[in-house]
């Protein structure tokens, strides 16, 4: 299966002599659902931000959709992020003066080839798919945390991205909402969208195809869950988490 994104020999530091990412090599295949796990401070979110070009790297290469994007300027990278990537975070960031549907279409407004009415129709269809039909005109303060996270997934999908990057998207949700959000990610993935998701929750990881483990800024292990029985997945994941003290 062809890779959608590859990181080669990635190094990242925030302070002198303080490496956050240490010679990372990672590839994510088209259509894969990948989860990154590791102890707090292991570099999970930093890796996600690096691969998605939301943060710079000190050294290395990032190949996305067969293009080396490591040396592109910020304007070019912003275009790639807007048109080909989607983002979901632990705490959704919405503009308070806009309703749900207008927040969802924001990433697509720069594309003048699409009429705003068509974008609103597309956003309405996405809301229906995630169970939020009829809530498009709501203020963001008038919906629950789980509903807001589902709306943020709609926003991530508005430009039909090749990959969605999700950083602890269920970290602030209760167990019921967590299950609903992960089911949504699985449906999105089943339709062909690649997902890279950072999580500390084993219930989330068990829904993925592959789990990679980080510790002290390095990738230290991985397990392939695709094709295994549920009980085998759980046993294998628990063993790895115990060894790595996650």
């Amino acid at each position: 299966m062809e890779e959608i994104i590859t990181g080669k020999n990635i190094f990242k530091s925030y302070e002198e002599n303080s490496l956050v990412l240490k010679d990372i090599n990672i590839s994510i295949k088209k259509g894969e659902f990948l989860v990154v796990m590791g102890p707090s401070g292991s570099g999970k979110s930093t890796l996600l931000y690096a691969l998605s070009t939301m943060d710079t790297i000190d050294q290395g290469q990032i190949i996305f959709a067969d293009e080396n994007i490591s040396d592109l300027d910020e304007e070019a990278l912003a275009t790639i992020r807007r048109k080909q990537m989607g983002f979901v975070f632990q705490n959704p960031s919405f503009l308070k003066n806009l309703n749900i549907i207008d927040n969802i279409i924001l990433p697509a407004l720069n594309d003048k080839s699409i009429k705003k009415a068509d974008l609103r129709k597309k956003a309405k269809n996405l809301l229906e798919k995630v169970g939020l039909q009829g809530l498009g005109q709501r203020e963001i303060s008038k919906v629950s945390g789980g509903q807001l996270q589902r709306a943020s997934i709609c926003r991530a999908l508005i430009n039909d991205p090749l990959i969605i990057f999700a950083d602890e998207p269920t970290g602030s949700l209760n167990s019921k909402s967590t299950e609903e959000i992960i089911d949504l990610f699985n449906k999105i993935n089943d339709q062909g969208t690649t997902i890279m998701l950072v999580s500390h929750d084993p219930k989330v990881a068990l829904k993925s195809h592959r789990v990679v483990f980080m510790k002290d800024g390095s990738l230290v292990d991985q397990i392939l869950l695709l094709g295994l029985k549920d009980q085998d997945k759980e046993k294998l994941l628990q063993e790895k988490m115990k060894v790595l003290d996650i």
Side-chain angles (χ1 to χ4, degrees), residues 54-209:
M54 287 192 294
D55 199 0
T56 59
I57 58 176
D58 299 331
Q59 185 178 327
Q61 291 185 337
I62 298 170
I63 313 297
F64 176 67
D66 297 324
E67 179 184 5
N68 186 346
I69 62 174
S70 310
D71 298 322
L72 296 181
D73 61 30
E74 180 52 36
E75 183 178 357
L77 291 174
T79 299
I80 289 173
R81 288 194 296 267
R82 185 176 68 252
K83 292 185 175 182
Q84 300 183 71
M85 298 176 177
F87 300 90
V88 181
F89 303 101
Q90 180 174 344
N91 298 304
S93 178
F94 286 89
L95 295 181
K96 295 180 180 180
N97 61 318
L98 298 180
N99 61 28
I100 294 293
I101 207 162
D102 284 333
N103 268 287
I104 288 172
I105 68 174
L106 270 180
L109 289 178
N110 283 337
D111 190 345
K112 304 303 180 184
S113 66
I114 306 176
K115 295 180 180 179
K116 190 172 182 180
D118 291 335
L119 284 176
R120 293 176 67 84
K121 182 178 179 180
K122 184 176 182 179
K124 183 179 178 181
N125 289 336
L126 286 170
L127 285 169
E128 291 177 355
K129 288 181 179 180
V130 303
L132 296 181
Q133 57 271 15
L135 298 186
Q137 303 303 318
R138 289 271 185 96
E139 298 177 15
I140 64 169
S141 60
K142 304 298 184 182
V143 296
S144 69
Q147 289 172 327
L148 201 60
Q149 192 62 294
R150 279 186 271 171
S152 74
I153 292 174
C154 293
R155 181 176 59 184
L157 290 169
I158 195 66
N159 283 326
D160 301 312
L162 298 177
I163 184 170
I164 288 180
F165 294 95
D167 189 10
E168 297 280 7
T170 63
S172 299
L173 303 179
N174 60 34
S175 57
K176 183 176 184 296
S177 293
T178 292
E179 187 174 342
E180 292 172 349
I181 293 301
I182 294 306
D183 284 345
L184 273 177
F185 276 118
N186 279 128
K187 289 178 182 177
I188 293 165
N189 179 247
D190 287 343
Q191 293 167 2
T193 304
T194 307
I195 295 173
M196 177 185 180
L197 189 153
V198 168
S199 182
H200 65 279
D201 188 341
K203 293 180 181 178
V204 174
L206 286 170
K207 296 289 187 176
S208 71
H209 297 163

